Amino acid sequence: MNSERFGDGDSRYYLLKIAHEQFDCAPGALSEEQLQQADRIIGRQKHIEDAVLRSPDAAGVVVPASQVEEAWAQIASRYETVEALQQALDEQGLDAVGMRAMLARDLKVQAVLDCICAGLPDITDTDVSLYYFNHPEQFKVPARHKARHILVTVNEDFPENSREAAWTRIEAILKRLRGKPERFEEQAMKHSECPTAMQGGLLGEVVPGTLYPELDACLFRMAQGELSPVLESPIGFHVLLCESVSPARQLTLEEILPRLRDRLQLRQRKAYQRKWLESLLQQKATLENLAHG
Protein backbone atom coordinates (compact mmCIF):
# COMPACT_ATOMS: atom_id res chain seq x y z
CA MET A 1 0.00 0.00 0.00
CA ASN A 2 1.27 3.49 -0.83
CA SER A 3 1.86 5.05 2.60
CA GLU A 4 2.02 8.60 1.22
CA ARG A 5 -1.20 8.29 -0.72
CA PHE A 6 -3.14 6.68 2.15
CA GLY A 7 -1.11 7.96 5.08
CA ASP A 8 -3.84 9.05 7.51
CA GLY A 9 -6.06 6.66 9.42
CA ASP A 10 -9.27 7.82 7.75
CA SER A 11 -7.87 7.13 4.28
CA ARG A 12 -6.62 3.69 5.32
CA TYR A 13 -10.09 2.88 6.64
CA TYR A 14 -11.70 4.01 3.40
CA LEU A 15 -9.17 2.00 1.42
CA LEU A 16 -9.95 -1.15 3.41
CA LYS A 17 -13.68 -0.61 2.85
CA ILE A 18 -13.38 0.15 -0.87
CA ALA A 19 -10.99 -2.75 -1.49
CA HIS A 20 -13.54 -5.20 -0.08
CA GLU A 21 -16.70 -3.58 -1.49
CA GLN A 22 -15.45 -2.56 -4.95
CA PHE A 23 -12.72 -5.11 -5.69
CA ASP A 24 -13.49 -8.00 -3.30
CA CYS A 25 -9.92 -8.24 -2.02
CA ALA A 26 -7.57 -6.92 0.64
CA PRO A 27 -5.90 -3.53 0.02
CA GLY A 28 -2.51 -5.20 -0.40
CA ALA A 29 -3.83 -7.13 -3.41
CA LEU A 30 -4.91 -4.02 -5.34
CA SER A 31 -3.14 -3.22 -8.58
CA GLU A 32 -1.72 0.24 -9.24
CA GLU A 33 -4.70 0.99 -11.48
CA GLN A 34 -7.11 -0.10 -8.75
CA LEU A 35 -5.22 2.00 -6.18
CA GLN A 36 -5.58 5.04 -8.41
CA GLN A 37 -9.30 4.35 -8.77
CA ALA A 38 -9.60 3.88 -5.00
CA ASP A 39 -7.78 7.18 -4.45
CA ARG A 40 -10.36 9.00 -6.60
CA ILE A 41 -13.27 7.30 -4.85
CA ILE A 42 -11.85 8.15 -1.41
CA GLY A 43 -11.42 11.81 -2.31
CA ARG A 44 -14.98 12.05 -3.61
CA GLN A 45 -16.43 10.12 -0.66
CA LYS A 46 -14.64 12.26 1.92
CA HIS A 47 -15.85 15.42 0.19
CA ILE A 48 -19.46 14.22 0.19
CA GLU A 49 -19.44 12.89 3.75
CA ASP A 50 -17.88 16.08 5.08
CA ALA A 51 -20.64 18.13 3.43
CA VAL A 52 -23.35 15.82 4.80
CA LEU A 53 -22.02 15.90 8.37
CA ARG A 54 -21.68 19.71 8.32
CA SER A 55 -25.23 20.20 7.01
CA PRO A 56 -27.99 21.54 9.34
CA ASP A 57 -29.84 18.21 8.90
CA ALA A 58 -27.01 16.38 10.70
CA ALA A 59 -27.26 18.47 13.87
CA GLY A 60 -29.81 16.33 15.68
CA VAL A 61 -28.76 12.90 14.37
CA VAL A 62 -27.31 10.50 16.93
CA VAL A 63 -26.08 6.98 16.18
CA PRO A 64 -26.63 4.50 19.04
CA ALA A 65 -23.52 2.67 20.21
CA SER A 66 -25.34 -0.63 19.61
CA GLN A 67 -25.46 0.11 15.86
CA VAL A 68 -21.73 0.74 15.81
CA GLU A 69 -21.09 -2.55 17.61
CA GLU A 70 -23.35 -4.39 15.18
CA ALA A 71 -21.43 -2.94 12.23
CA TRP A 72 -18.12 -3.86 13.89
CA ALA A 73 -19.37 -7.43 14.45
CA GLN A 74 -20.22 -7.72 10.75
CA ILE A 75 -16.67 -6.75 9.82
CA ALA A 76 -15.20 -9.14 12.38
CA SER A 77 -17.32 -11.98 10.98
CA ARG A 78 -15.36 -11.83 7.70
CA TYR A 79 -12.32 -13.22 9.52
CA GLU A 80 -11.94 -16.74 10.87
CA THR A 81 -10.29 -15.70 14.14
CA VAL A 82 -9.73 -12.61 16.27
CA GLU A 83 -6.02 -12.96 15.47
CA ALA A 84 -6.73 -12.85 11.72
CA LEU A 85 -8.79 -9.69 12.19
CA GLN A 86 -6.05 -8.07 14.24
CA GLN A 87 -3.45 -9.00 11.65
CA ALA A 88 -5.56 -7.38 8.91
CA LEU A 89 -5.88 -4.20 10.97
CA ASP A 90 -2.16 -4.16 11.73
CA GLU A 91 -1.31 -4.54 8.05
CA GLN A 92 -3.33 -1.39 7.29
CA GLY A 93 -2.10 0.58 10.30
CA LEU A 94 -5.58 0.54 11.84
CA ASP A 95 -6.97 -0.31 15.27
CA ALA A 96 -10.36 -1.26 16.68
CA VAL A 97 -10.93 2.15 18.28
CA GLY A 98 -10.29 4.01 15.04
CA MET A 99 -12.41 1.55 13.10
CA ARG A 100 -15.34 2.06 15.44
CA ALA A 101 -15.00 5.83 15.07
CA MET A 102 -15.10 5.55 11.28
CA LEU A 103 -18.03 3.15 11.43
CA ALA A 104 -19.90 5.65 13.59
CA ARG A 105 -19.15 8.31 10.96
CA ASP A 106 -20.45 6.04 8.16
CA LEU A 107 -23.60 5.26 10.11
CA LYS A 108 -24.25 8.93 10.86
CA VAL A 109 -23.92 9.85 7.18
CA GLN A 110 -26.44 7.13 6.29
CA ALA A 111 -28.75 8.22 9.13
CA VAL A 112 -28.72 11.81 7.81
CA LEU A 113 -29.54 10.57 4.30
CA ASP A 114 -32.38 8.51 5.75
CA CYS A 115 -33.60 11.44 7.79
CA ILE A 116 -33.97 13.80 4.82
CA CYS A 117 -36.20 11.19 3.13
CA ALA A 118 -38.57 10.96 6.09
CA GLY A 119 -41.17 13.19 4.45
CA LEU A 120 -41.28 11.43 1.09
CA PRO A 121 -44.68 9.99 0.15
CA ASP A 122 -45.14 6.23 0.07
CA ILE A 123 -45.28 4.52 -3.29
CA THR A 124 -48.91 3.51 -3.83
CA ASP A 125 -50.41 0.55 -5.67
CA THR A 126 -51.41 3.01 -8.40
CA ASP A 127 -47.79 4.13 -8.80
CA VAL A 128 -46.70 0.50 -9.07
CA SER A 129 -49.43 -0.33 -11.60
CA LEU A 130 -48.54 2.63 -13.81
CA TYR A 131 -44.87 1.65 -13.82
CA TYR A 132 -45.72 -1.99 -14.56
CA PHE A 133 -47.96 -1.21 -17.54
CA ASN A 134 -45.59 1.43 -18.92
CA HIS A 135 -42.53 -0.87 -18.77
CA PRO A 136 -43.81 -4.35 -19.75
CA GLU A 137 -40.43 -5.35 -21.21
CA GLN A 138 -38.90 -5.32 -17.70
CA PHE A 139 -41.21 -8.09 -16.51
CA LYS A 140 -40.66 -10.74 -19.14
CA VAL A 141 -39.33 -14.11 -18.02
CA PRO A 142 -37.30 -15.76 -20.80
CA ALA A 143 -37.93 -19.30 -21.95
CA ARG A 144 -36.07 -21.95 -19.96
CA HIS A 145 -35.19 -25.42 -21.15
CA LYS A 146 -33.87 -27.98 -18.69
CA ALA A 147 -31.15 -29.81 -20.57
CA ARG A 148 -28.45 -32.45 -20.37
CA HIS A 149 -25.58 -32.97 -22.78
CA ILE A 150 -22.81 -35.36 -23.71
CA LEU A 151 -19.54 -33.94 -25.01
CA VAL A 152 -16.78 -35.66 -26.95
CA THR A 153 -13.90 -33.25 -27.43
CA VAL A 154 -11.82 -32.84 -30.57
CA ASN A 155 -8.04 -32.74 -30.05
CA GLU A 156 -5.81 -33.77 -32.92
CA ASP A 157 -2.90 -34.28 -30.50
CA PHE A 158 -4.57 -37.49 -29.33
CA PRO A 159 -5.60 -40.21 -31.83
CA GLU A 160 -8.68 -41.16 -29.78
CA ASN A 161 -9.88 -37.55 -29.98
CA SER A 162 -9.11 -36.83 -33.58
CA ARG A 163 -12.04 -35.30 -35.43
CA GLU A 164 -12.86 -38.59 -37.16
CA ALA A 165 -12.57 -40.67 -33.97
CA ALA A 166 -14.62 -38.19 -31.94
CA TRP A 167 -17.36 -38.15 -34.60
CA THR A 168 -17.48 -41.95 -34.65
CA ARG A 169 -17.81 -42.09 -30.84
CA ILE A 170 -20.54 -39.47 -30.56
CA GLU A 171 -22.50 -41.06 -33.43
CA ALA A 172 -22.37 -44.43 -31.63
CA ILE A 173 -23.58 -42.81 -28.39
CA LEU A 174 -26.46 -41.07 -30.19
CA LYS A 175 -27.47 -44.32 -31.90
CA ARG A 176 -27.73 -46.08 -28.52
CA LEU A 177 -29.74 -43.20 -27.07
CA ARG A 178 -32.24 -43.12 -29.92
CA GLY A 179 -33.23 -46.64 -28.95
CA LYS A 180 -33.18 -45.96 -25.18
CA PRO A 181 -33.23 -42.22 -24.36
CA GLU A 182 -33.78 -43.07 -20.70
CA ARG A 183 -30.12 -44.11 -20.59
CA PHE A 184 -28.92 -40.54 -21.22
CA GLU A 185 -27.61 -39.94 -17.68
CA GLU A 186 -25.78 -43.27 -17.68
CA GLN A 187 -24.21 -42.59 -21.08
CA ALA A 188 -23.19 -39.10 -19.99
CA MET A 189 -21.48 -40.45 -16.89
CA LYS A 190 -19.62 -43.07 -18.95
CA HIS A 191 -18.67 -41.12 -22.05
CA SER A 192 -19.03 -37.34 -21.66
CA GLU A 193 -15.78 -35.37 -21.41
CA CYS A 194 -17.43 -32.41 -19.71
CA PRO A 195 -17.31 -31.92 -15.90
CA THR A 196 -21.13 -32.19 -15.96
CA ALA A 197 -20.67 -35.93 -16.59
CA MET A 198 -20.63 -36.43 -12.80
CA GLN A 199 -24.22 -35.12 -12.74
CA GLY A 200 -25.35 -37.18 -15.69
CA GLY A 201 -24.61 -34.35 -18.11
CA LEU A 202 -26.99 -31.95 -16.36
CA LEU A 203 -26.77 -28.37 -17.62
CA GLY A 204 -29.73 -27.26 -15.54
CA GLU A 205 -32.40 -24.78 -16.61
CA VAL A 206 -30.87 -22.88 -19.50
CA VAL A 207 -31.98 -19.49 -20.82
CA PRO A 208 -31.20 -18.26 -24.35
CA GLY A 209 -27.65 -17.03 -24.79
CA THR A 210 -26.12 -19.33 -22.19
CA LEU A 211 -24.64 -22.08 -24.37
CA TYR A 212 -22.49 -22.03 -27.49
CA PRO A 213 -24.59 -20.49 -30.29
CA GLU A 214 -24.71 -23.82 -32.16
CA LEU A 215 -26.19 -25.57 -29.11
CA ASP A 216 -28.37 -22.65 -28.11
CA ALA A 217 -30.06 -22.44 -31.51
CA CYS A 218 -30.92 -26.14 -31.44
CA LEU A 219 -32.00 -26.42 -27.80
CA PHE A 220 -34.62 -23.70 -28.05
CA ARG A 221 -36.28 -25.46 -30.99
CA MET A 222 -36.50 -28.76 -29.12
CA ALA A 223 -39.57 -30.20 -27.43
CA GLN A 224 -39.65 -31.89 -24.04
CA GLY A 225 -37.98 -35.33 -24.18
CA GLU A 226 -36.37 -34.69 -27.57
CA LEU A 227 -32.80 -35.65 -28.46
CA SER A 228 -30.70 -33.41 -30.68
CA PRO A 229 -28.64 -34.55 -33.65
CA VAL A 230 -24.87 -34.39 -33.22
CA LEU A 231 -23.94 -30.73 -32.78
CA GLU A 232 -20.50 -29.18 -33.16
CA SER A 233 -19.04 -26.38 -31.06
CA PRO A 234 -15.50 -24.99 -30.83
CA ILE A 235 -14.60 -27.68 -28.26
CA GLY A 236 -16.08 -30.77 -29.91
CA PHE A 237 -19.27 -32.72 -30.58
CA HIS A 238 -22.38 -32.70 -28.41
CA VAL A 239 -25.70 -34.46 -28.02
CA LEU A 240 -28.44 -32.61 -26.12
CA LEU A 241 -31.47 -33.91 -24.26
CA CYS A 242 -34.27 -31.47 -23.53
CA GLU A 243 -35.88 -32.65 -20.28
CA SER A 244 -38.48 -29.90 -19.85
CA VAL A 245 -39.64 -26.65 -21.38
CA SER A 246 -40.75 -23.52 -19.54
CA PRO A 247 -42.00 -21.07 -22.19
CA ALA A 248 -41.34 -17.35 -21.99
CA ARG A 249 -44.02 -15.47 -20.08
CA GLN A 250 -44.94 -12.12 -18.62
CA LEU A 251 -44.87 -11.80 -14.82
CA THR A 252 -48.23 -10.69 -13.46
CA LEU A 253 -48.61 -7.51 -11.46
CA GLU A 254 -49.66 -9.58 -8.45
CA GLU A 255 -46.42 -11.57 -8.59
CA ILE A 256 -44.14 -8.56 -8.51
CA LEU A 257 -46.21 -5.98 -6.60
CA PRO A 258 -44.37 -6.03 -3.22
CA ARG A 259 -40.86 -6.22 -4.74
CA LEU A 260 -41.62 -3.56 -7.33
CA ARG A 261 -43.03 -1.22 -4.69
CA ASP A 262 -39.83 -1.61 -2.65
CA ARG A 263 -37.73 -1.01 -5.77
CA LEU A 264 -39.62 2.15 -6.70
CA GLN A 265 -39.49 3.40 -3.11
CA LEU A 266 -35.72 2.90 -3.09
CA ARG A 267 -35.37 4.62 -6.46
CA GLN A 268 -37.37 7.58 -5.20
CA ARG A 269 -35.16 7.83 -2.09
CA LYS A 270 -31.94 7.62 -4.13
CA ALA A 271 -33.12 10.30 -6.55
CA TYR A 272 -34.11 12.62 -3.70
CA GLN A 273 -30.81 12.04 -1.87
CA ARG A 274 -28.85 12.67 -5.06
CA LYS A 275 -30.64 15.97 -5.67
CA TRP A 276 -30.13 16.99 -2.03
CA LEU A 277 -26.43 16.16 -2.21
CA GLU A 278 -25.98 18.08 -5.45
CA SER A 279 -27.58 21.14 -3.86
CA LEU A 280 -25.49 20.71 -0.70
CA LEU A 281 -22.21 20.42 -2.64
CA GLN A 282 -23.11 23.41 -4.79
CA GLN A 283 -23.75 25.50 -1.67
CA LYS A 284 -20.44 24.34 -0.19
CA ALA A 285 -18.55 25.25 -3.37
CA THR A 286 -20.19 28.69 -3.43
CA LEU A 287 -19.21 29.38 0.19
CA GLU A 288 -15.64 28.21 -0.44
CA ASN A 289 -15.38 30.50 -3.47
CA LEU A 290 -16.64 33.45 -1.43
CA ALA A 291 -14.17 32.65 1.36
CA HIS A 292 -11.29 32.71 -1.13
CA GLY A 293 -12.67 35.53 -3.07
Side-chain angles (χ1 to χ4, degrees):
M1 183 176 71
N2 188 315
S3 57
E4 293 180 1
R5 189 186 303 171
F6 305 102
D8 64 278
D10 288 1
S11 293
R12 290 195 295 269
Y13 165 79
Y14 282 115
L15 181 62
L16 181 65
K17 179 181 177 182
I18 289 165
H20 282 291
E21 291 180 356
Q22 299 282 334
F23 304 107
D24 194 26
C25 67
L30 295 175
S31 67
E32 178 58 30
E33 183 181 351
Q34 289 170 331
L35 283 170
Q36 290 176 6
Q37 186 176 346
D39 199 8
R40 291 191 295 270
I41 294 171
I42 288 170
R44 174 69 174 166
Q45 194 163 334
K46 280 185 173 183
H47 183 60
I48 291 172
E49 290 187 0
D50 183 60
V52 170
L53 294 175
R54 290 175 182 273
S55 70
D57 299 270
V61 176
V62 177
V63 176
S66 59
Q67 284 188 22
V68 178
E69 289 306 311
E70 184 180 343
W72 173 245
Q74 288 178 354
I75 290 175
S77 69
R78 299 174 187 165
Y79 300 87
E80 292 185 4
T81 63
V82 174
E83 291 75 16
L85 170 60
Q86 188 59 53
Q87 181 181 349
L89 293 178
D90 291 343
E91 287 174 353
Q92 305 308 319
L94 296 167
D95 58 51
V97 173
M99 284 287 288
R100 283 180 169 87
M102 291 305 297
L103 288 171
R105 176 185 169 93
D106 276 355
L107 290 168
K108 184 165 182 177
V109 169
Q110 188 56 56
V112 174
L113 292 174
D114 289 341
C115 188
I116 64 167
C117 295
L120 289 177
D122 290 335
I123 297 294
T124 67
D125 286 356
T126 301
D127 296 325
V128 177
S129 297
L130 285 171
Y131 188 91
Y132 174 82
F133 289 113
N134 285 327
H135 302 85
E137 70 285 352
Q138 294 184 14
F139 307 104
K140 290 180 179 178
V141 178
R144 294 176 181 270
H145 285 213
K146 185 178 179 183
R148 294 180 186 270
H149 86 139
I150 294 171
L151 165 67
V152 176
T153 59
V154 174
N155 188 337
E156 296 296 342
D157 292 337
F158 300 95
E160 66 273 19
N161 282 88
S162 68
R163 183 179 178 82
E164 183 178 352
W167 177 265
T168 300
R169 285 164 58 199
I170 198 77
E171 277 282 304
I173 293 167
L174 180 57
K175 184 176 180 180
R176 287 193 293 273
L177 289 172
R178 280 179 176 147
K180 294 185 177 180
E182 68 275 6
R183 293 180 59 193
F184 196 98
E185 291 183 49
E186 169 211 314
Q187 290 292 296
M189 294 180 73
K190 285 183 178 179
H191 303 294
S192 182
E193 295 172 0
C194 175
T196 60
M198 297 299 293
Q199 290 79 45
L202 183 64
L203 294 171
E205 288 200 336
V206 180
V207 298
T210 304
L211 305 178
Y212 285 110
E214 302 85 352
L215 277 61
D216 202 75
C218 180
L219 177 61
F220 286 93
R221 293 195 303 267
M222 294 169 66
Q224 181 173 329
E226 187 178 351
L227 283 170
S228 74
V230 174
L231 303 169
E232 185 173 4
S233 79
I235 59 172
F237 298 115
H238 307 251
V239 172
L240 293 173
L241 170 67
C242 179
E243 289 199 335
S244 65
V245 174
S246 300
R249 70 183 185 92
Q250 188 81 11
L251 290 169
T252 66
L253 179 58
E254 290 72 23
E255 285 179 280
I256 53 89
L257 185 62
R259 282 179 293 142
L260 183 54
R261 181 187 291 109
D262 290 344
R263 180 174 133 199
L264 294 178
Q265 196 83 49
L266 180 61
R267 192 179 73 163
Q268 176 185 248
R269 287 168 60 87
K270 293 293 184 186
Y272 187 81
Q273 289 169 354
R274 186 164 53 249
K275 186 179 292 186
W276 181 80
L277 283 170
E278 287 171 357
S279 174
L280 192 65
L281 293 173
Q282 189 173 20
Q283 291 172 26
K284 184 182 179 187
T286 301
L287 290 173
E288 288 174 351
N289 289 335
L290 290 172
H292 292 90

